[in-house]
Amino acid sequence: MREYDVAIVGGGVVGAAVAHELSHYRLNVVLLEKEEDLSFGVSKANSGIIHPGTQNPADSLKGRLCVEGNRLVREMSADLDLDFKEVGELVVAFDDSEVGRLWQLKQEGEALGVPGLEIVSREWLRDNEPNLNPDAVAALHAPTAGIISPYRFVFALSESAQLNGVEVLTRTRVEWIERISPAGPGEGARFVLAGAAGEFAARYVVNCGGLHADDIAAMVGACTFHIRPRKGEEYILDKKRRYLTRHLLFPVPTPESKGILVTRTSDGNPMIGPTAYEVDDREDLSTTDDGLRQVLAVAQRLVPAIDPRDIIAYFAGLRPAAGDDFVIRSESQAPGFVNVAGIQSPGLTAAPAIARHVAGLLSQTGMPLVPKDAPRRQNRRSVHLFSMPLGDARRLVEHDPECGDIVCRCETVSLREVKQAIEAGATTLDGVKFRTRAGAGRCHGSFCTCRIMRLLADETGRPVTAVSKRGAGSELVVEDRADG
Ligand SMILES: Cc1cc2nc3c(=O)[nH]c(=O)nc-3n(C[C@H](O)[C@H](O)[C@H](O)COP(=O)(O)OP(=O)(O)OC[C@H]3O[C@@H](n4cnc5c(N)ncnc54)[C@H](O)[C@@H]3O)c2cc1C
């Protein structure tokens, strides 16, 4: 059986951030993820906003970790080659009572340490956000809000963790965990985590299981919370409308959610949503006509120029909520076991701060944190032709013809980028799409899917029948066995 100091269960943004944080210490760490690739859970389906920390109660853990997470993301941005862009956000008020709420939000944000908050006037809005509804009377401006590609964030964290010795195992579902009591004085407890992929022994376990965190906690009798998924439907607009807005635009928030907003992906597509309503089914990622109507009504109130005919894609994500705040604690029922659960929004933002908090909890329960002498840095920089000035792209193509061989026309993704994604660990069409955007454009992969499947088969030495969209059960080509 393989032995580790720490086993992290779950390879979303939180698990990857914990792996990245622990990789700075002299520890033997493994990350276990049940899906075919990392970031295939909640972390693939969100708004991609690095929130400044406003719109969180001043005394909340999620508020504190959001503000710190925002600071850490910008700090690690250059090192990890993150595509973080600071665009700023506006929480928009349409009448006097909403303006009163803006002052309250400003005060709460400042209590949490959010920098640079100011209330801006109707005139400021007219000059700086021309497509905003002219009925808006004021807004709370938070300049530190930004956008990021959520999946590329996860891959950057995990690749850096792997470079520094963390073992990442996908297709490894943890089905049961046994806690083995200390054999003698001075010896710590041990956990054995097991499933079809094998058995792993670890002195500490960090549960980052997202929507299934309560099931995982129950395996060691430490289920002190219940996950109640809250669905969010999002609608993506064509890139031709990329200049629709300059800032992220929010309405004044409700107690349940920050509200339906107008944002854009880090790759330039405007995006509207999300809704927020509780569901029972943890696999239900359907979108609804009602959701679309609701999203359009709020988004068009903020920006009347939004046209439903510009919607090119939609998705839903489930916030893994467990009450109002994050649940991050060492469990006394199972010493050495840390629950990191209820990581609803702003979990993407807070992930690096959550990871530091978890390292602190592990240290308090006796895990020695000895820093490595010189953590290794990722030197490989990914190439993204679509985000490059034309002159640079031309030089790149002259130097490397594979950069000029365009596989995905909608998103201008080259053969070099697809090969680089496969080299970095993509084994499925979604894995390639999340790393490169190939297949994420207006034609939804009609043009490039066959070629990417061929490349996946050739580069990984598998038959094309083994290539899938997102793992076992989603293969696209089936062998015809009718005539033997
Ligand atoms: C619609 C929507 C919009 C959002 N927008 C934002 C935003 O703009 N900004 C922001 O900061 N936050 C946002 N969030 C919140 C953010 O997406 C989440 O907080 C974050 O992604 C949670 O990450 P996670 O790692 O906890 O969960 P996940 O990404 O779900 O990771 C958990 C992983 O555990 C794995 N797993 C589960 N059980 C097992 C097992 N038994 N064995 C092995 N692996 C297992 C799963 O497969 C999964 O990959 C949004 C959420 C939604 C739904």
Side-chain angles (χ1 to χ4, degrees):
M1 190 185 330
R2 284 170 278 179
E3 305 239 352
Y4 300 90
D5 295 311
V6 187
I8 302 162
V9 187
V13 69
V14 176
V18 172
H20 173 257
E21 177 64 24
L22 296 183
S23 74
H24 296 127
Y25 300 100
R26 290 193 200 164
L27 293 167
N28 197 3
V29 180
V30 67
L31 187 155
L32 308 170
E33 165 56 50
K34 69 178 167 67
E35 298 296 329
E36 175 83 19
D37 205 343
L38 303 185
S39 197
F40 274 22
V42 182
S43 301
K44 76 166 186 300
N46 56 58
S47 309
I49 297 173
I50 297 301
H51 290 288
T54 50
Q55 308 172 63
N56 289 303
D59 55 354
S60 61
L61 181 61
K62 64 181 182 183
R64 185 162 64 75
L65 294 177
C66 180
V67 177
E68 195 192 337
N70 179 294
R71 184 182 62 75
L72 289 173
V73 168
R74 63 192 60 239
E75 207 175 277
M76 54 176 53
S77 196
D79 247 14
L80 293 184
D81 188 25
L82 301 179
D83 56 1
F84 169 71
K85 297 178 188 78
E86 186 178 83
V87 291
E89 77 175 29
L90 296 167
V91 183
V92 180
F94 285 92
D95 60 36
D96 286 350
S97 78
E98 288 194 340
V99 175
R101 185 80 178 98
L102 293 187
W103 285 102
Q104 208 182 342
L105 289 174
K106 181 170 184 283
Q107 212 171 31
E108 286 172 4
E110 283 168 347
L112 279 164
V114 181
L117 293 177
E118 57 171 344
I119 305 282
V120 295
S121 65
R122 182 188 282 243
E123 291 67 38
W124 189 99
L125 292 171
R126 199 187 45 218
D127 294 344
N128 292 281
E129 196 56 78
N131 286 330
L132 182 68
N133 187 337
D135 292 344
V137 293
L140 173 63
H141 179 218
T144 54
I147 45 179
I148 199 167
S149 154
Y151 3 89
R152 290 204 292 271
F153 187 21
V154 177
F155 298 134
L157 288 165
S158 68
E159 283 174 26
S160 165
Q162 281 173 280
L163 196 67
N164 285 291
V166 173
E167 207 174 320
V168 173
L169 301 175
T170 52
R171 292 187 299 272
T172 306
R173 180 193 292 272
V174 174
E175 282 160 27
W176 54 263
I177 306 177
E178 189 181 353
R179 185 166 172 272
I180 299 169
S181 304
E187 276 195 45
R190 236 167 47 112
F191 297 88
V192 175
L193 302 91
E199 294 193 352
F200 309 86
R203 291 193 302 129
Y204 298 88
V205 175
V206 185
N207 171 14
C208 305
L211 289 164
H212 300 281
D214 49 359
D215 300 333
I216 295 164
M219 294 178 193
V220 293
C223 191
T224 51
F225 56 90
H226 176 67
I227 299 288
R228 188 92 173 93
R230 200 180 308 133
K231 191 192 272 193
E233 300 180 24
E234 308 250 23
Y235 297 83
I236 301 177
L237 275 56
D238 199 315
K239 259 190 189 171
K240 70 181 185 203
R241 305 304 309 272
R242 66 188 308 157
Y243 300 112
L244 194 63
T245 56
R246 296 179 183 169
H247 300 82
L248 313 178
L249 303 178
F250 290 71
V252 169
T254 64
E256 292 78 38
S257 116
K258 296 180 187 67
I260 289 165
L261 48 125
V262 180
T263 176
R264 64 176 182 274
T265 68
S266 70
D267 301 316
N269 296 75
M271 185 157 75
I272 55 177
T275 53
Y277 57 95
E278 290 194 341
V279 293
D280 293 323
D281 184 350
R282 296 178 189 202
E283 309 292 329
D284 175 8
L285 296 177
S286 58
T287 50
T288 60
D289 288 347
D290 260 4
L292 174 59
R293 264 193 295 276
Q294 206 186 326
V295 166
L296 271 175
V298 181
Q300 286 179 319
R301 183 169 188 234
L302 286 165
V303 180
I306 288 174
D307 185 338
R309 284 171 303 186
D310 288 327
I311 294 174
I312 60 161
Y314 39 82
F315 63 86
L318 299 174
R319 304 169 184 86
D324 292 334
D325 209 347
F326 294 165
V327 178
I328 307 177
R329 56 184 169 233
S330 282
E331 297 292 0
S332 55
Q333 298 93 318
F337 188 93
V338 177
N339 272 321
V340 188
I343 310 299
Q344 51 187 291
S345 187
L348 182 75
T349 310
I354 293 175
R356 285 204 176 171
H357 187 60
V358 168
L361 290 176
L362 289 170
S363 161
Q364 279 164 25
T365 49
M367 192 183 82
L369 287 183
V370 183
K372 283 181 181 159
D373 293 337
R376 295 174 64 193
R377 287 181 174 191
Q378 183 65 272
N379 291 323
R380 187 177 59 75
R381 292 286 180 251
S382 30
V383 177
H384 293 297
L385 280 189
F386 65 78
S387 60
M388 205 177 264
L390 195 60
D392 291 358
R394 239 187 233 134
R395 272 188 292 280
L396 205 65
V397 173
E398 276 162 23
H399 176 73
D400 179 353
E402 287 197 350
C403 289
D405 182 348
I406 302 303
V407 175
C408 166
R409 287 186 188 168
C410 300
E411 296 294 315
T412 330
V413 182
S414 69
L415 176 60
R416 164 65 56 232
E417 290 164 78
V418 175
K419 282 190 173 174
Q420 208 173 39
I422 298 172
E423 227 171 82
T427 53
T428 61
L429 286 169
D430 276 357
V432 171
K433 177 164 88 174
F434 291 166
R435 286 169 176 88
T436 66
R437 291 195 54 75
R442 204 174 226 291
C443 90
H444 297 287
S446 318
F447 178 74
C448 63
T449 298
C450 288
R451 181 144 185 228
I452 297 171
M453 287 178 69
R454 190 75 266 161
L455 283 165
L456 276 164
D458 291 349
E459 299 289 313
T460 60
R462 294 176 302 162
V464 82
T465 47
V467 175
S468 66
K469 177 154 170 58
R470 66 178 81 85
S474 63
E475 292 81 5
L476 283 89
V477 178
V478 186
E479 216 170 318
D480 184 0
R481 296 201 185 90
D483 54 5

mmCIF file of all heavy atoms in Angstrom, residues 255-287:
data_model
loop_
_atom_site.group_PDB
_atom_site.id
_atom_site.type_symbol
_atom_site.label_atom_id
_atom_site.label_comp_id
_atom_site.label_asym_id
_atom_site.label_seq_id
_atom_site.Cartn_x
_atom_site.Cartn_y
_atom_site.Cartn_z
ATOM 1 N N PRO A 255 -30.331 38.114 -0.016
ATOM 2 C CA PRO A 255 -29.694 37.258 0.999
ATOM 3 C C PRO A 255 -29.195 35.923 0.418
ATOM 4 O O PRO A 255 -28.232 35.355 0.902
ATOM 5 C CB PRO A 255 -30.812 37.003 2.011
ATOM 6 C CG PRO A 255 -31.793 38.095 1.798
ATOM 7 C CD PRO A 255 -31.692 38.496 0.362
ATOM 8 N N GLU A 256 -29.817 35.396 -0.657
ATOM 9 C CA GLU A 256 -29.441 34.076 -1.195
ATOM 10 C C GLU A 256 -28.238 34.134 -2.108
ATOM 11 O O GLU A 256 -27.491 33.180 -2.239
ATOM 12 C CB GLU A 256 -30.589 33.442 -2.022
ATOM 13 C CG GLU A 256 -31.804 33.033 -1.241
ATOM 14 C CD GLU A 256 -32.651 34.244 -0.908
ATOM 15 O OE1 GLU A 256 -32.762 35.145 -1.759
ATOM 16 O OE2 GLU A 256 -33.162 34.297 0.222
ATOM 17 N N SER A 257 -28.066 35.247 -2.820
ATOM 18 C CA SER A 257 -27.032 35.246 -3.849
ATOM 19 C C SER A 257 -26.610 36.673 -4.162
ATOM 20 O O SER A 257 -27.272 37.641 -3.781
ATOM 21 C CB SER A 257 -27.571 34.536 -5.093
ATOM 22 O OG SER A 257 -27.665 35.386 -6.184
ATOM 23 N N LYS A 258 -25.481 36.750 -4.873
ATOM 24 C CA LYS A 258 -24.995 38.066 -5.289
ATOM 25 C C LYS A 258 -25.861 38.608 -6.421
ATOM 26 O O LYS A 258 -25.683 39.719 -6.866
ATOM 27 C CB LYS A 258 -23.543 37.959 -5.747
ATOM 28 C CG LYS A 258 -22.617 37.534 -4.633
ATOM 29 C CD LYS A 258 -21.187 37.428 -5.129
ATOM 30 C CE LYS A 258 -20.292 36.831 -4.067
ATOM 31 N NZ LYS A 258 -20.615 35.422 -3.769
ATOM 32 N N GLY A 259 -26.762 37.756 -6.895
ATOM 33 C CA GLY A 259 -27.687 38.191 -7.926
ATOM 34 C C GLY A 259 -27.199 37.804 -9.311
ATOM 35 O O GLY A 259 -26.090 37.299 -9.485
ATOM 36 N N ILE A 260 -28.076 38.060 -10.277
ATOM 37 C CA ILE A 260 -27.745 37.761 -11.669
ATOM 38 C C ILE A 260 -26.911 38.901 -12.198
ATOM 39 O O ILE A 260 -27.252 40.076 -12.003
ATOM 40 C CB ILE A 260 -29.048 37.567 -12.467
ATOM 41 C CG1 ILE A 260 -29.680 36.244 -12.021
ATOM 42 C CG2 ILE A 260 -28.806 37.620 -13.955
ATOM 43 C CD1 ILE A 260 -31.107 36.066 -12.422
ATOM 44 N N LEU A 261 -25.806 38.583 -12.862
ATOM 45 C CA LEU A 261 -24.881 39.636 -13.231
ATOM 46 C C LEU A 261 -24.507 39.568 -14.700
ATOM 47 O O LEU A 261 -24.771 38.590 -15.385
ATOM 48 C CB LEU A 261 -23.626 39.535 -12.368
ATOM 49 C CG LEU A 261 -22.988 38.164 -12.244
ATOM 50 C CD1 LEU A 261 -21.544 38.224 -12.639
ATOM 51 C CD2 LEU A 261 -23.128 37.686 -10.815
ATOM 52 N N VAL A 262 -23.860 40.620 -15.136
ATOM 53 C CA VAL A 262 -23.336 40.661 -16.499
ATOM 54 C C VAL A 262 -21.820 40.668 -16.352
ATOM 55 O O VAL A 262 -21.243 41.602 -15.798
ATOM 56 C CB VAL A 262 -23.806 41.927 -17.251
ATOM 57 C CG1 VAL A 262 -23.248 41.935 -18.668
ATOM 58 C CG2 VAL A 262 -25.331 41.995 -17.276
ATOM 59 N N THR A 263 -21.201 39.611 -16.828
ATOM 60 C CA THR A 263 -19.754 39.510 -16.686
ATOM 61 C C THR A 263 -19.186 39.118 -18.034
ATOM 62 O O THR A 263 -19.891 39.130 -19.050
ATOM 63 C CB THR A 263 -19.408 38.478 -15.582
ATOM 64 O OG1 THR A 263 -17.993 38.313 -15.514
ATOM 65 C CG2 THR A 263 -20.037 37.127 -15.818
ATOM 66 N N ARG A 264 -17.926 38.797 -18.084
ATOM 67 C CA ARG A 264 -17.407 38.166 -19.295
ATOM 68 C C ARG A 264 -16.346 37.166 -18.886
ATOM 69 O O ARG A 264 -15.721 37.298 -17.839
ATOM 70 C CB ARG A 264 -16.876 39.181 -20.302
ATOM 71 C CG ARG A 264 -15.688 39.982 -19.847
ATOM 72 C CD ARG A 264 -15.225 40.869 -21.019
ATOM 73 N NE ARG A 264 -14.056 41.627 -20.654
ATOM 74 C CZ ARG A 264 -14.091 42.791 -20.034
ATOM 75 N NH1 ARG A 264 -15.257 43.306 -19.679
ATOM 76 N NH2 ARG A 264 -12.982 43.434 -19.745
ATOM 77 N N THR A 265 -16.179 36.146 -19.719
ATOM 78 C CA THR A 265 -15.173 35.135 -19.412
ATOM 79 C C THR A 265 -13.797 35.743 -19.656
ATOM 80 O O THR A 265 -13.664 36.739 -20.376
ATOM 81 C CB THR A 265 -15.347 33.891 -20.303
ATOM 82 O OG1 THR A 265 -15.012 34.274 -21.641
ATOM 83 C CG2 THR A 265 -16.760 33.350 -20.266
ATOM 84 N N SER A 266 -12.784 35.104 -19.102
ATOM 85 C CA SER A 266 -11.438 35.662 -19.289
ATOM 86 C C SER A 266 -11.031 35.555 -20.753
ATOM 87 O O SER A 266 -10.063 36.170 -21.181
ATOM 88 C CB SER A 266 -10.436 34.933 -18.407
ATOM 89 O OG SER A 266 -10.255 33.638 -18.887
ATOM 90 N N ASP A 267 -11.780 34.780 -21.541
ATOM 91 C CA ASP A 267 -11.469 34.649 -22.965
ATOM 92 C C ASP A 267 -12.270 35.627 -23.820
ATOM 93 O O ASP A 267 -12.178 35.609 -25.042
ATOM 94 C CB ASP A 267 -11.737 33.215 -23.424
ATOM 95 C CG ASP A 267 -10.903 32.227 -22.641
ATOM 96 O OD1 ASP A 267 -9.708 32.505 -22.435
ATOM 97 O OD2 ASP A 267 -11.438 31.200 -22.219
ATOM 98 N N GLY A 268 -13.104 36.445 -23.180
ATOM 99 C CA GLY A 268 -13.741 37.535 -23.906
ATOM 100 C C GLY A 268 -15.215 37.390 -24.215
ATOM 101 O O GLY A 268 -15.809 38.304 -24.785
ATOM 102 N N ASN A 269 -15.852 36.274 -23.886
ATOM 103 C CA ASN A 269 -17.297 36.162 -24.145
ATOM 104 C C ASN A 269 -18.091 36.817 -23.026
ATOM 105 O O ASN A 269 -17.884 36.472 -21.853
ATOM 106 C CB ASN A 269 -17.742 34.700 -24.182
ATOM 107 C CG ASN A 269 -17.119 33.921 -25.297
ATOM 108 O OD1 ASN A 269 -15.942 33.575 -25.224
ATOM 109 N ND2 ASN A 269 -17.883 33.651 -26.330
ATOM 110 N N PRO A 270 -19.037 37.707 -23.351
ATOM 111 C CA PRO A 270 -19.934 38.181 -22.295
ATOM 112 C C PRO A 270 -20.719 36.989 -21.732
ATOM 113 O O PRO A 270 -20.994 36.025 -22.455
ATOM 114 C CB PRO A 270 -20.873 39.146 -23.016
ATOM 115 C CG PRO A 270 -20.168 39.533 -24.254
ATOM 116 C CD PRO A 270 -19.338 38.350 -24.648
ATOM 117 N N MET A 271 -21.038 37.044 -20.449
ATOM 118 C CA MET A 271 -21.789 35.937 -19.833
ATOM 119 C C MET A 271 -22.820 36.545 -18.891
ATOM 120 O O MET A 271 -22.510 37.519 -18.179
ATOM 121 C CB MET A 271 -20.823 35.028 -19.076
ATOM 122 C CG MET A 271 -21.466 33.798 -18.503
ATOM 123 S SD MET A 271 -20.256 32.477 -18.239
ATOM 124 C CE MET A 271 -19.418 33.045 -16.804
ATOM 125 N N ILE A 272 -24.041 35.969 -18.881
ATOM 126 C CA ILE A 272 -25.084 36.478 -17.989
ATOM 127 C C ILE A 272 -25.604 35.344 -17.113
ATOM 128 O O ILE A 272 -25.698 34.202 -17.545
ATOM 129 C CB ILE A 272 -26.223 37.173 -18.776
ATOM 130 C CG1 ILE A 272 -26.820 36.235 -19.843
ATOM 131 C CG2 ILE A 272 -25.724 38.442 -19.442
ATOM 132 C CD1 ILE A 272 -28.011 36.844 -20.608
ATOM 133 N N GLY A 273 -25.912 35.645 -15.886
ATOM 134 C CA GLY A 273 -26.358 34.639 -14.916
ATOM 135 C C GLY A 273 -25.612 34.893 -13.620
ATOM 136 O O GLY A 273 -24.996 35.936 -13.476
ATOM 137 N N PRO A 274 -25.612 34.044 -12.655
ATOM 138 C CA PRO A 274 -26.347 32.796 -12.575
ATOM 139 C C PRO A 274 -27.629 32.961 -11.759
ATOM 140 O O PRO A 274 -27.762 33.899 -10.982
ATOM 141 C CB PRO A 274 -25.368 31.897 -11.813
ATOM 142 C CG PRO A 274 -24.632 32.830 -10.892
ATOM 143 C CD PRO A 274 -24.583 34.161 -11.591
ATOM 144 N N THR A 275 -28.552 32.010 -11.962
ATOM 145 C CA THR A 275 -29.718 31.919 -11.084
ATOM 146 C C THR A 275 -29.256 31.329 -9.756
ATOM 147 O O THR A 275 -28.086 30.957 -9.616
ATOM 148 C CB THR A 275 -30.766 30.971 -11.697
ATOM 149 O OG1 THR A 275 -30.102 29.726 -12.001
ATOM 150 C CG2 THR A 275 -31.373 31.543 -12.961
ATOM 151 N N ALA A 276 -30.134 31.219 -8.797
ATOM 152 C CA ALA A 276 -29.767 30.586 -7.516
ATOM 153 C C ALA A 276 -31.014 29.956 -6.919
ATOM 154 O O ALA A 276 -31.884 30.654 -6.416
ATOM 155 C CB ALA A 276 -29.194 31.629 -6.567
ATOM 156 N N TYR A 277 -31.125 28.637 -7.060
ATOM 157 C CA TYR A 277 -32.240 27.942 -6.403
ATOM 158 C C TYR A 277 -31.805 26.533 -6.006
ATOM 159 O O TYR A 277 -30.958 25.925 -6.670
ATOM 160 C CB TYR A 277 -33.504 27.926 -7.283
ATOM 161 C CG TYR A 277 -33.344 27.305 -8.645
ATOM 162 C CD1 TYR A 277 -33.671 25.977 -8.881
ATOM 163 C CD2 TYR A 277 -32.868 28.064 -9.720
ATOM 164 C CE1 TYR A 277 -33.530 25.412 -10.141
ATOM 165 C CE2 TYR A 277 -32.716 27.506 -10.987
ATOM 166 C CZ TYR A 277 -33.053 26.184 -11.184
ATOM 167 O OH TYR A 277 -32.907 25.629 -12.435
ATOM 168 N N GLU A 278 -32.359 26.064 -4.887
ATOM 169 C CA GLU A 278 -31.936 24.774 -4.344
ATOM 170 C C GLU A 278 -32.513 23.618 -5.159
ATOM 171 O O GLU A 278 -33.634 23.700 -5.653
ATOM 172 C CB GLU A 278 -32.397 24.647 -2.893
ATOM 173 C CG GLU A 278 -31.620 25.579 -1.987
ATOM 174 C CD GLU A 278 -31.791 25.256 -0.517
ATOM 175 O OE1 GLU A 278 -32.764 24.558 -0.170
ATOM 176 O OE2 GLU A 278 -30.940 25.706 0.271
ATOM 177 N N VAL A 279 -31.709 22.568 -5.319
ATOM 178 C CA VAL A 279 -32.178 21.347 -5.987
ATOM 179 C C VAL A 279 -31.761 20.143 -5.132
ATOM 180 O O VAL A 279 -30.865 20.262 -4.296
ATOM 181 C CB VAL A 279 -31.586 21.200 -7.415
ATOM 182 C CG1 VAL A 279 -32.104 22.264 -8.349
ATOM 183 C CG2 VAL A 279 -30.053 21.241 -7.398
ATOM 184 N N ASP A 280 -32.428 19.008 -5.359
ATOM 185 C CA ASP A 280 -32.087 17.803 -4.591
ATOM 186 C C ASP A 280 -31.020 16.973 -5.286
ATOM 187 O O ASP A 280 -30.167 16.372 -4.652
ATOM 188 C CB ASP A 280 -33.336 16.929 -4.401
ATOM 189 C CG ASP A 280 -34.337 17.633 -3.496
ATOM 190 O OD1 ASP A 280 -33.883 18.293 -2.553
ATOM 191 O OD2 ASP A 280 -35.556 17.545 -3.764
ATOM 192 N N ASP A 281 -31.087 16.967 -6.622
ATOM 193 C CA ASP A 281 -30.245 16.066 -7.404
ATOM 194 C C ASP A 281 -28.848 16.668 -7.602
ATOM 195 O O ASP A 281 -28.702 17.727 -8.211
ATOM 196 C CB ASP A 281 -30.942 15.844 -8.766
ATOM 197 C CG ASP A 281 -30.208 14.844 -9.625
ATOM 198 O OD1 ASP A 281 -29.076 14.457 -9.264
ATOM 199 O OD2 ASP A 281 -30.776 14.460 -10.669
ATOM 200 N N ARG A 282 -27.826 15.958 -7.126
ATOM 201 C CA ARG A 282 -26.453 16.478 -7.211
ATOM 202 C C ARG A 282 -25.834 16.336 -8.605
ATOM 203 O O ARG A 282 -24.699 16.731 -8.827
ATOM 204 C CB ARG A 282 -25.577 15.785 -6.177
ATOM 205 C CG ARG A 282 -26.014 16.087 -4.764
ATOM 206 C CD ARG A 282 -25.202 15.371 -3.729
ATOM 207 N NE ARG A 282 -25.847 15.578 -2.427
ATOM 208 C CZ ARG A 282 -25.249 15.478 -1.265
ATOM 209 N NH1 ARG A 282 -23.969 15.175 -1.216
ATOM 210 N NH2 ARG A 282 -25.897 15.686 -0.143
ATOM 211 N N GLU A 283 -26.587 15.707 -9.503
ATOM 212 C CA GLU A 283 -26.067 15.550 -10.875
ATOM 213 C C GLU A 283 -26.858 16.416 -11.857
ATOM 214 O O GLU A 283 -26.569 16.420 -13.045
ATOM 215 C CB GLU A 283 -26.195 14.079 -11.340
ATOM 216 C CG GLU A 283 -25.630 13.032 -10.384
ATOM 217 C CD GLU A 283 -24.120 13.111 -10.271
ATOM 218 O OE1 GLU A 283 -23.482 13.495 -11.259
ATOM 219 O OE2 GLU A 283 -23.588 12.824 -9.170
ATOM 220 N N ASP A 284 -27.878 17.121 -11.381
ATOM 221 C CA ASP A 284 -28.785 17.829 -12.288
ATOM 222 C C ASP A 284 -28.154 19.138 -12.792
ATOM 223 O O ASP A 284 -28.168 20.156 -12.102
ATOM 224 C CB ASP A 284 -30.100 18.133 -11.550
ATOM 225 C CG ASP A 284 -31.042 18.971 -12.396
ATOM 226 O OD1 ASP A 284 -30.747 19.191 -13.593
ATOM 227 O OD2 ASP A 284 -32.073 19.420 -11.859
ATOM 228 N N LEU A 285 -27.622 19.073 -14.023
ATOM 229 C CA LEU A 285 -26.984 20.267 -14.586
ATOM 230 C C LEU A 285 -27.809 20.827 -15.750
ATOM 231 O O LEU A 285 -27.277 21.466 -16.654
ATOM 232 C CB LEU A 285 -25.561 19.925 -15.058
ATOM 233 C CG LEU A 285 -24.589 19.506 -13.935
ATOM 234 C CD1 LEU A 285 -23.237 19.120 -14.495
ATOM 235 C CD2 LEU A 285 -24.423 20.627 -12.903
ATOM 236 N N SER A 286 -29.120 20.588 -15.697
ATOM 237 C CA SER A 286 -29.973 21.071 -16.782
ATOM 238 C C SER A 286 -30.218 22.573 -16.644
ATOM 239 O O SER A 286 -30.184 23.119 -15.545
ATOM 240 C CB SER A 286 -31.317 20.335 -16.742
ATOM 241 O OG SER A 286 -31.916 20.540 -15.475
ATOM 242 N N THR A 287 -30.459 23.211 -17.780
ATOM 243 C CA THR A 287 -30.886 24.611 -17.762
ATOM 244 C C THR A 287 -32.383 24.623 -18.091
ATOM 245 O O THR A 287 -32.904 23.651 -18.625
ATOM 246 C CB THR A 287 -30.121 25.459 -18.789
ATOM 247 O OG1 THR A 287 -30.177 24.789 -20.046
ATOM 248 C CG2 THR A 287 -28.667 25.626 -18.386
#
